[in-house]
Amino acid sequence: MKIESSSDAAAAQRFRIGYAFAPKKEQSFIQPSLLDHASQNGIDFVPISITDSSSEEEAAEALIQQGPFHCIIHKLYGHRWNHQLKQYSSKYPQTLILDPPDSIERLHNRVSMLQVVSAIKLNSQFNISVSVPKQVVLQTPQSPDSIHNNTNDGAVEFPVIAKPLLANGSAKSHEMYLVFDPKGLQTLLPTNTTTSASTQPILLQQFVNHGEVVFKVYVIGEYVQCVKRSSLPDISEQQLTASEGQVLRFSQISNSPQPQEEDEHGLGLAHDPHEMPPSDFVEELARGIRLGLKLNFFNFDVIRDSGNPHSYFVIDINYFPGYAKLPSYEQVLTNFLLALLTTPTQKDHQLEPATTEEEEEEEEKEESDHDHLGDGEGGGDASLLP
């Protein structure tokens, strides 16, 4: 008789993973290579149909009818979707929701998303400090006096990056500006309410010279991958003076490949800006952020101070980034899901619907009747029953 190993058992069982993404995200992430690799390893990805034409309760029921799933992965936001997930989970509580909406919500605010960094205690052996650049939130519209008070109390120093406080994935939330001085900021912020958009809070994040390099750290559970990308150039005192009143608009930090080390971007810096940060440090930082945020799918941007190779800053955290850009992302994601779904803490993968109170009472009655039968026929010893 052949005894199945745990890996054989896992391979014999198929897992149904529901996914819910906006069309653009689905197109980039759900690649044929991912579907093929996952299928060969016992995972079937199933698209979740989302409709906006029905009521909240009807939409929630539609999600329930598409189940059950062993796991749901998603990148949809808003009360309606959160309600659907909540109703689904009440019916199938053993389905893993990756990630919980309450945890994702923290990343929608550029202040709350970075608060986790201050709570991380790094191993002293790294001799590295990690923090967040100085920040201040401006409510708009702003008067010139109010702008002056908010930027001259030591909270931030120019130049600054001006970003919408809300990071909800919309095109508006990616509108960012490099602001060189208070005069430029006054041209950016309206001093009277002209449009509804002008009333949105703005985050001013102090710009830190970082050698034109940003390190993007991708996280899938315990898997961590750090890559280099080009970023904004350093700003000298002479450039700052020459750029009086200027505002530089950019949609997002470039994803272009990092220039080679023979380029002259690193001249005059305290260290080579292209040198990757220590892998142990990156993994510990990623673990701290993952546990602090209670998230499995995210990436974060880290920069290194041009003047101090031991000083790093976390400047942004994004939920469910473009994993398809990573080599072998198909294998990484599949391995993560298999490890999660086959762990001993996941006791039941049959995904039976949760029983109602009436069903529980009926089950208790049946068990009680069975017990009485056992007592009368065989003294409660099941081995004596016919």
Side-chain angles (χ1 to χ4, degrees):
M1 176 179 176
K2 180 183 178 182
I3 300 178
E4 270 192 333
S5 68
S6 58
S7 59
D8 291 335
Q13 182 176 6
R14 298 201 69 82
F15 297 103
R16 196 165 183 259
I17 310 297
Y19 64 86
F21 301 118
K24 185 176 180 180
K25 183 67 178 180
E26 179 176 344
Q27 183 179 12
S28 65
F29 181 72
I30 304 296
Q31 299 286 328
S33 57
L34 173 63
L35 299 178
D36 291 344
H37 182 81
S39 179
Q40 292 173 18
N41 287 273
I43 289 179
D44 298 314
F45 281 101
V46 180
I48 294 175
S49 177
I50 305 295
T51 176
D52 294 326
S53 60
S54 56
S55 68
E56 278 191 356
E57 294 306 320
E58 289 173 335
E61 182 60 29
L63 175 58
I64 291 172
Q65 293 301 319
Q66 293 176 69
F69 302 103
H70 294 89
C71 176
I72 291 178
I73 60 176
H74 66 104
K75 191 179 183 180
L76 296 178
Y77 306 128
H79 170 78
R80 182 182 175 90
W81 171 244
N82 293 351
H83 177 73
Q84 293 176 53
L85 285 177
K86 184 177 180 180
Q87 294 300 102
Y88 173 91
S89 293
S90 68
K91 183 69 173 178
Y92 293 106
Q94 291 165 336
T95 295
L96 297 174
I97 307 296
L98 300 180
D99 283 302
D102 288 346
S103 297
I104 300 172
E105 187 69 25
R106 188 169 175 179
L107 298 188
H108 292 169
N109 181 298
R110 285 195 162 91
V111 171
S112 64
M113 74 164 60
L114 296 177
Q115 288 173 341
V116 66
V117 177
S118 61
I120 296 175
K121 305 299 182 184
L122 292 174
N123 193 317
S124 60
Q125 72 178 15
F126 295 126
N127 191 28
I128 290 175
S129 67
V130 178
S131 58
V132 175
K134 292 180 179 180
Q135 300 184 144
V136 65
V137 176
L138 296 185
Q139 300 293 334
T140 58
Q142 289 273 328
S143 68
D145 288 342
S146 178
I147 293 174
H148 181 273
N149 292 336
N150 275 294
T151 55
N152 285 274
D153 60 0
V156 294
E157 300 174 7
F158 287 94
V160 298
I161 302 295
K163 314 175 181 181
L165 177 63
L166 298 182
N168 56 10
S170 66
K172 256 318 194 194
S173 68
H174 290 293
E175 291 185 359
M176 304 182 192
Y177 301 83
L178 177 59
V179 184
F180 292 91
D181 56 19
K183 184 177 178 180
L185 184 59
Q186 288 183 18
T187 66
L188 178 62
L189 299 179
T191 56
N192 57 73
T193 306
T194 56
T195 67
S196 59
S198 69
T199 63
Q200 298 301 313
I202 297 294
L203 175 71
L204 301 184
Q205 187 180 79
Q206 187 166 320
F207 180 82
V208 178
N209 282 338
H210 52 283
E212 205 170 339
V213 177
V214 61
F215 301 102
K216 287 185 171 290
V217 182
Y218 292 83
V219 179
I220 300 179
E222 295 183 356
Y223 172 85
V224 178
Q225 178 69 50
C226 181
V227 299
K228 288 184 291 189
R229 293 290 183 264
S230 295
S231 183
L232 298 178
D234 286 0
I235 301 172
S236 66
E237 290 293 334
Q238 293 82 358
Q239 289 172 313
L240 191 59
T241 302
S243 302
E244 180 181 357
Q246 291 188 24
V247 174
L248 174 64
R249 178 175 180 170
F250 60 103
S251 59
Q252 61 187 49
I253 293 177
S254 172
N255 285 322
S256 59
Q258 175 58 36
Q260 297 298 311
E261 294 187 7
E262 57 262 34
D263 292 346
E264 297 181 356
H265 297 283
L267 292 181
L269 300 182
H271 57 90
D272 179 1
H274 305 149
E275 181 183 355
M276 295 290 287
S279 58
D280 290 349
F281 154 68
V282 172
E283 290 172 3
E284 184 167 332
L285 178 58
R287 181 177 184 275
I289 294 176
R290 175 171 59 86
L291 295 179
L293 294 177
K294 299 179 181 179
L295 293 173
N296 289 285
F297 298 124
F298 64 94
N299 77 348
F300 58 96
D301 294 346
V302 183
I303 58 174
R304 181 169 48 211
D305 190 336
S306 291
N308 183 356
H310 303 291
S311 178
Y312 289 80
F313 295 89
V314 178
I315 58 174
D316 199 17
I317 305 175
N318 303 286
Y319 185 67
F320 218 113
Y323 289 121
K325 301 173 185 176
L326 297 178
S328 303
Y329 90 102
E330 304 91 344
Q331 181 178 349
V332 172
L333 182 67
T334 299
N335 289 347
F336 165 73
L337 291 172
L338 286 175
L340 202 63
L341 292 168
T342 57
T343 182
T345 59
Q346 297 299 322
K347 297 178 182 178
D348 184 3
H349 293 300
Q350 299 306 311
L351 298 182
E352 296 295 335
T355 55
T356 63
E357 291 184 5
E358 292 79 5
E359 291 170 335
E360 289 177 353
E361 291 176 359
E362 184 65 26
E363 288 177 1
E364 290 175 359
K365 183 177 182 301
E366 291 177 357
E367 290 175 0
S368 177
D369 291 343
H370 178 76
D371 289 343
H372 287 308
L373 175 63
D375 291 341
E377 295 292 326
D381 188 345
S383 64
L384 301 180
L385 293 176

